[in-house]
Structures are given as C-alpha cells and as structure tokens.
Amino acid sequence: MTENILITGASGQLGAVMTKALQEKFGVNHVIASDLRPNESFEGLFEILDVTDNEALKSIVAKYKITQIYHLAAILSAKGELFPLKTWDINMSTFFNVLEVSRQLSVKKVFYPSSIAVFGSNISRVNTPQDSNLMPSTVYGISKVAGENWANYYFEKYDLDVRSIRYPGVIGYQSLPGGGTTDYAVDIYHKAVKQEHFECFLKETTTLPMIYIEDAVRATIELMDAPAENISIRTSYNLAGMSFSPKEVADSIKKTYPNFEVSYNPDFRQNIADSWPMSIDDTKAKEDWGWKPKYDLDAMSKVMIDNLKAYYNSVIA
C-alpha cells in the first residue's frame, strides 16, 4: 500500500527537516507539508492548515488519502508560559482533531511528539526512568502529559496506532529557535559563528538532555517503521542523545573559536530547566526498536559550525 504522509507544523525547527527526510523516504509527491502560513522554501506539496480547524484537517486527509500523520504543530515551553491558557487550548485541540480525524478516516499511524517537559522536580533527574511519575512544571509539559495519555487511550479504545517520543532539546542549524527552554543551545552556535557575544538565559552548570536534529528525525522514522508488535510503550518513549551544560557547549565551540565570549543571566527559564532531567534512561527505545544515537557534543558542534559558516558566508556574499 502506498503511504501518503501529512506533516502539521512543517515550518518549525523539527518539521522542516522531518519533511525532507520523509520526502526522501516516500517520494516528494507522497508527503504533504502544512502550516499556518505559506512557506516558499518548501519543495513539493504544501497546504496552508490551521489544525484547530477540524473540517480543514479532515478535508486535507481525505483529499490526499493520508495514511500517516506526523503532528508537529504546538506552542513550546518558554513561549507557552507567557500564554498558558492559549497554549493548552491550541496544543490539546490540535491533537484531538488529529486523533478524531485519524479514527474517522482510517489513518493507519499517527506520530505525536512529547518532550522532557513532561517531567517535574519530583523525578530522579539523573538517568530519569521511563516510568517516572509525571508532574510537569509548565503548561506545555502538562499538555504533553495529557497528550501521551490520550494517545494511549485511542490505541486501547480504537486501535489507532499512535506512537510518540519524549524529545530532549533538539539542536539543528536549519532554523532559528522556536521558543523552547533548550533553545540557547541553538542560538549559541549562531552567535559564535557571527563572532558575537552570547548571553545565556541559564546558569553555566545547568545540564540538560539534548539531541542533534538528524538523530531526532532518524529516531522518529525508525519508531514509525518498527513493527507494531515491537511497540510496548503507548504513551511516549524516553529518548536520549547527549547531555551537556551551557559551559560544556561553549567549551566545545571554543575549540574552533577560542575567543568566543559567553555571559550568564538566568531568567524564568532557569526554573523550568531545574525541574527537568539532566540525563535520560532510554532503555525501552533501545530494546523495542533498536535506538542508538550517532552524534556526541563535539561531532554536533562541528556540523553546526560548518553549516552555519556556509550559511552566513552566503548571506554576506
């Protein structure tokens, strides 16, 4: 059977890279990217879509005979704390629409992105277990916990094949930060390549789980490709890439830019970060679908710096 893929939130940091990877896997004409506004940088099929509009979503799923939905549209952690009720409404209503339309139109698989934001300060922060008690400190995290449980509910009640990953901080050169607490780890590379001073909104010793975007995309596709009988977690899988602090990433960057300067001015995002894991136990992902990261900090730094240098040189030229 031919797979037809719909990606919501395709213009976001993860969505843009996910779209290209899925186009390579399934073919450009079998991947439909969508977002709230037009995106001229996309090659292939693109639809303007507000996922809070159930009928609009249903129309696109029917039009393209969609078999899989990657639901990446959401308001993230830091931005979500500025608009908590709006964040809850949008994050939940969009996912409910995806679940209902998938159930009604027999979509085979749904991918739902969760996050380390589901964890709260009550957890073991080192090697945080898969089955931790989830008491998040942000409305974004609260919405993700609720979404995980609804994913499990739709699987149990309607046999809808919903799969999910709890992403660490995702780092990539392809787009600018999108309002997350881990976004300093993207911005810091931009400042370094532009040879500008960087002011970090977290303390220099704040260690958080991170993942390079190519690993994150590969993990997602590997999860979605795994046989259904291998999937033992129907809420969301812990996923680990690497863990580091702002000082450690700055030190990695200084191997290329020894004069790079960083200062630290913690803001409200520090409290969010302090409630999150420092490292993640992703044993179940390794056991169930063979997950293994490829990138460590220095390997990621090299790719980030090389690509951002090429980008900024082309802008100047």
Side-chain angles (χ1 to χ4, degrees):
M1 179 180 177
T2 301
E3 299 287 353
N4 294 312
I5 316 297
L6 174 64
I7 305 165
T8 70
S11 296
Q13 179 197 22
L14 186 62
V17 183
M18 189 80 74
T19 297
K20 289 183 179 179
L22 290 169
Q23 286 175 336
E24 290 175 4
K25 180 175 176 62
F26 293 104
V28 172
N29 293 329
H30 293 284
V31 177
I32 296 84
S34 70
D35 215 307
L36 286 169
R37 287 170 288 279
N39 191 328
E40 295 178 359
S41 67
F42 271 106
E43 297 180 5
L45 301 170
F46 186 90
E47 291 276 357
I48 298 173
L49 174 63
D50 180 349
V51 197
T52 63
D53 185 338
N54 181 277
E55 290 303 314
L57 174 63
K58 185 180 290 186
S59 174
I60 288 174
V61 170
K63 175 182 176 181
Y64 292 100
K65 298 180 173 60
I66 296 298
T67 60
Q68 297 185 28
I69 298 177
Y70 287 66
H71 175 51
L72 306 182
I75 297 177
L76 302 182
S77 60
K79 190 175 290 185
E81 289 307 282
L82 302 177
F83 309 101
L85 296 183
K86 178 182 178 182
T87 298
W88 171 261
D89 286 343
I90 288 177
N91 289 1
M92 296 313 301
S93 66
T94 56
F95 189 40
F96 283 139
N97 285 344
V98 167
L99 290 171
E100 276 296 281
V101 169
S102 297
R103 178 180 69 83
Q104 293 164 359
L105 298 186
S106 301
V107 173
K108 290 198 306 179
K109 292 182 186 176
V110 173
F111 177 74
Y112 172 69
S114 191
S115 163
I116 59 170
V118 299
F119 299 110
S121 56
N122 61 311
I123 57 162
S124 172
R125 296 188 65 214
V126 177
N127 213 26
T128 302
Q130 170 71 46
D131 58 354
S132 297
N133 183 22
L134 304 180
M135 294 179 61
S137 62
T138 64
V139 68
Y140 173 68
I142 293 169
S143 72
K144 287 300 181 184
V145 172
E148 287 187 14
N149 287 319
W150 278 107
N152 185 68
Y153 179 86
Y154 268 72
F155 172 72
E156 295 288 348
K157 188 172 181 66
Y158 302 115
D159 200 29
L160 179 61
D161 191 353
V162 190
R163 306 182 184 192
S164 179
I165 285 172
R166 293 171 181 159
Y167 288 118
V170 178
I171 303 167
Y173 62 85
Q174 293 90 341
S175 59
L176 293 172
T181 301
T182 56
D183 279 350
Y184 86 84
V186 177
D187 193 26
I188 193 170
Y189 286 103
H190 286 265
K191 293 296 195 297
V193 170
K194 292 190 289 184
Q195 299 185 50
E196 297 175 0
H197 173 268
F198 177 66
E199 182 177 278
C200 185
F201 53 73
L202 299 179
K203 296 174 183 176
E204 65 177 355
T205 56
T206 305
T207 299
L208 290 170
M210 303 283 187
I211 192 168
Y212 181 54
I213 195 162
E214 286 187 17
D215 272 346
V217 169
R218 180 173 57 84
T220 306
I221 295 174
E222 286 176 356
L223 169 65
M224 293 294 277
D225 281 350
E229 59 269 22
N230 290 12
I231 306 303
S232 66
I233 305 294
R234 287 295 179 171
T235 50
S236 190
Y237 279 94
N238 277 5
L239 189 78
M242 64 194 93
S243 288
F244 57 76
S245 67
K247 183 180 186 305
E248 286 171 320
V249 69
D251 287 345
S252 180
I253 289 169
K254 286 179 181 179
K255 293 175 182 177
T256 304
Y257 296 102
N259 296 322
F260 181 48
E261 294 183 355
V262 181
S263 60
Y264 300 91
N265 184 23
D267 63 13
F268 74 98
R269 287 167 284 196
Q270 183 65 50
N271 289 333
I272 297 174
D274 287 342
S275 73
W276 286 358
M278 298 171 67
S279 58
I280 295 287
D281 179 0
D282 60 356
T283 301
K284 291 302 295 181
K286 292 173 180 174
E287 291 176 348
D288 287 2
W289 41 278
W291 162 244
K292 185 178 181 181
K294 291 181 178 178
Y295 288 86
D296 61 13
L297 176 54
D298 284 341
M300 180 181 73
S301 290
K302 183 181 188 310
V303 177
M304 290 290 290
I305 290 168
D306 287 350
N307 281 277
L308 288 175
K309 279 173 66 176
Y311 169 74
Y312 284 113
N313 286 340
S314 69
V315 170
I316 293 170

